[in-house]
Amino acid sequence: MTNREKSERDRPWIFRTYAGHSTAEESNKLYRTNLSKGQTGLSVAFDLPTQTGYDPDDLLARGEVGKVGVPVSHLGDMRALFNEIPLERMNTSMTINATAPWLLALYVAAADEQGADRSLLSGTTQNDIIKEYLSRGTYVFPPAQSLKLTNDIIGWTYSNMPKWNPMNVCSYHLQEAGATPVQELSFALATAVTILDTLKASGTIPAEDFPKAVGRISFFVNAGMRFVTELCKMRAFTELWDEICRERYGIEDERFRRFRYGVQVNSLGLTEPQPENNVYRILIEMLAVVLSKNARARAVQLPAWNEALGLPRPFDQQWSLRMQQIVAYETDLLEYGDIFDGSSEITRKVEALKAEAREELARIDEMGGAVAAVESSYMKRKLVEANSARLAGIEAGEQIVVGVNKWTESEPSPLAGGEDGGILTVPEHVEAEAVEKVKAWRDSRDQAAVDAALADLRSAAQEGRNIMEPSIAAAKAGATTGEWGKVLRDIFGEYRAPTGVGQAAREDAGDLEAVRKDVDLASAKLGRRLKFLVGKPGLDGHSNGAEQIAVRARDCGMEVVYEGIRLTPAQIVNAAVEEDVHVIGLSILSGSHLALVRDVMDRLRIAGADDIPVIVGGIIPDEDAAVLKAMGVAAVYTPKDFQLTEIMADVVRIVSSHAEKAA
């Protein structure tokens, strides 16, 4: 390489891993270790109580504390999370949405304690609430109030933290929910338009500064296995965003029209069978977002090979980090311009994606924008339909997934062996210790100062003032996540998004014919239509699996009760008794299955309804499946059980068997 080539080599993207678990102290050790290995930014995963505004000792937090991320209940936790990490020099991404103002307030308070200059703080609060209604499910407040909170963060950071990305429009979870590339493009861009229209109409930012504020909006995307399509999707994103900024908002400065995005590549496509194959999948997916210079990601975080099995260990995260470093530093990728410019095939595909996306954007615009398309269930229904088609293709073998529906013969994997089963397990004592710690925190603080700060927060919410300064004051006074959440719940109320599973049943019998006949026979013996309750206990909002089970059960002729996410075990048992169901299916992907299922089973016994069979689905290790069956669970399904129609046949057999025993 010549000296000229060396000097012109592009800087690599920011290297991240998505991490956080157990406690703030344990997560801090992991962050500092990863940074010492060459990671150049942090991406914080918060646990579900933190994401939905509850403290560890709340009833709804039971079984969820520290499972899919780190619990942050107050300033002490945030302080511990970033101990010995200078925030002024760190780029921090926080996957947080409904409670984004509060977590940003805690972050600012911790940075203030470090003596950091707020104007130098850089990073991102995800803060895309619209996609939460569609896919991930950690929403709390209704859309209008949620958009107000998003607007507050944009306005406050513009004035106080100019290097901070106040939100990234997140299409990542749309793909996880089954979105097609066109739906990813159009739904994400419709969300961005709604946010910017709201910002402009609010007058939060002076009109002359609006282009700069647009320049701070970023995106967070997904990349799947269809390499060429994914690469073209990213080029389409950059071109459509430039077009929208120029034509809709009149932004002339090219710098403020740039499509700035981070990425985590697809986790949905990672397989439980033959999980070692996931290493190749992750690499191929990463190449789709780094090879094309004109559409290259600004930050990349990669899942680990074993995330379909459970939480990755430090070694697993290191392996994914090394993948990024090898591509960035050992190859000559960063020495060249865009290697796809001028390709007729790439151009053809990009233009086709843009044309379809424009049509979908126009359709959503006619409805009144992204919020209207959420409230009418249009976008959610389209995602459920797309995911159904994707799963049907895998079931039929039309979409090959190596090791799952093709070439399933396998040698035992030494990677998944050993005492830990190839994954990191969060100890059961973590939750109890978190409960005691938050109680001790409350006992040690100046309660009068907390009360005054929360009163001002309440007034700000009632009066429509910007929520950020009162939130920072509450953080410094010692308020907790649950207290902040309760104040805003009291003012704004809570929201339950449409489930998207209400469309008409499939008319074609096809592979369902045999199961439909079995359902009819079982229903005749039962004296009424076989009734199946699909429940999502706890705070896990990843509802894709539950939705697909509900849709397939209905298509097989069962009567289905599905009320969406975030139900307590008590609510599920009450619904089962009141609806007089024949079987209960519980979907839990957060790792909280043991505590939540135990609670459901206990409540069924107390209610005298323990004759209702219970089945469970989720990311469940074999040893946990054995424990669940010992509790009385009739069947356990994991991601390897991808044939939904076969699961439906099992459900009919389980119901029939229990009915015969009862008779």
Side-chain angles (χ1 to χ4, degrees), residues 313 316 415-425 623:
R313 301 158 301 188
D316 308 315
L415 294 174
E419 293 183 3
D420 61 7
I423 58 172
L424 177 70
T425 303
E623 57 270 27

Side-chain angles (χ1 to χ4, degrees), residues 295-306:
R296 182 172 294 150
R298 297 204 174 191
V300 176
Q301 59 192 46
L302 302 180
W305 68 277
N306 56 348

Side-chain angles (χ1 to χ4, degrees), residues 324-336:
Q324 295 201 55
Q325 292 167 326
I326 289 167
V327 171
Y329 295 116
E330 292 192 24
T331 76
D332 58 355
L333 171 65
L334 298 178
E335 296 168 24
Y336 294 94

Side-chain angles (χ1 to χ4, degrees), residues 177-180 183 187 360 363 377-387 500:
T180 65
Q183 288 171 340
F187 291 7
E360 187 64 64
R363 193 173 297 116
S377 188
Y378 171 76
M379 288 202 286
K380 181 65 173 177
R381 178 165 47 82
K382 287 297 182 183
L383 289 177
V384 172
E385 289 173 358
N387 205 18

Side-chain angles (χ1 to χ4, degrees), residues 619-646:
I619 300 174
I620 301 171
D622 289 343
E623 57 270 27
D624 286 2
V627 174
L628 292 174
K629 288 179 179 178
M631 291 180 195
V633 169
V636 175
Y637 300 96
T638 68
K640 70 178 182 296
D641 303 301
F642 66 95
Q643 291 283 1
L644 298 186
T645 304
E646 291 182 6

Side-chain angles (χ1 to χ4, degrees), residues 384-553:
V384 172
E385 289 173 358
N387 205 18
S388 295
R390 182 187 69 85
L391 291 172
I394 294 173
E395 287 182 274
E398 296 164 1
Q399 180 177 331
I400 292 174
V401 182
V402 174
V404 174
N405 63 0
K406 188 86 169 175
W407 303 296
T408 55
E409 303 79 8
S410 179
E411 298 295 328
S413 172
L415 294 174
E419 293 183 3
D420 61 7
I423 58 172
L424 177 70
T425 303
V426 177
E428 289 296 319
H429 61 76
V430 162
E431 183 166 318
E433 291 174 1
V435 169
E436 292 306 312
K437 283 170 65 178
V438 76
K439 289 178 178 177
W441 174 268
R442 294 193 197 106
D443 290 342
S444 67
R445 65 192 183 176
D446 181 344
Q447 190 60 45
V450 173
D451 292 342
L454 291 176
D456 187 48
L457 175 68
R458 180 178 296 274
S459 296
Q462 289 172 327
E463 297 163 13
R465 286 189 279 130
N466 191 298
I467 211 77
M468 284 306 302
E469 287 294 351
S471 294
I472 294 169
K476 291 183 175 182
T480 67
T481 297
E483 290 168 336
W484 183 90
K486 184 178 186 308
V487 167
L488 295 194
R489 280 180 166 90
D490 288 347
I491 304 300
F492 297 152
E494 292 194 63
Y495 184 69
R496 292 197 69 79
T499 65
V501 302
Q503 72 269 33
R506 284 164 52 180
E507 292 298 326
D508 62 307
D511 62 331
L512 304 184
E513 185 175 2
V515 181
R516 286 178 175 174
K517 288 180 179 177
D518 289 343
V519 170
D520 289 342
L521 287 171
S523 299
K525 291 179 181 177
L526 293 167
R528 57 190 174 89
R529 181 58 48 181
L530 193 160
K531 201 170 191 178
F532 186 5
L533 184 151
V534 178
K536 287 284 298 175
L539 298 176
D540 169 32
H542 288 85
S543 57
N544 307 332
E547 289 157 2
Q548 293 305 316
I549 289 291
V551 169
R552 187 61 58 88

Side-chain angles (χ1 to χ4, degrees), residues 39-69:
Q39 185 172 302
T40 53
L42 294 177
S43 181
V44 183
F46 295 97
D47 74 353
L48 290 173
T50 303
Q51 292 185 52
T52 50
Y54 296 104
D55 287 334
D57 58 347
D58 193 284
L59 175 65
L60 277 165
R62 184 176 181 185
E64 305 280 17
V65 178
K67 287 289 173 61
V68 299

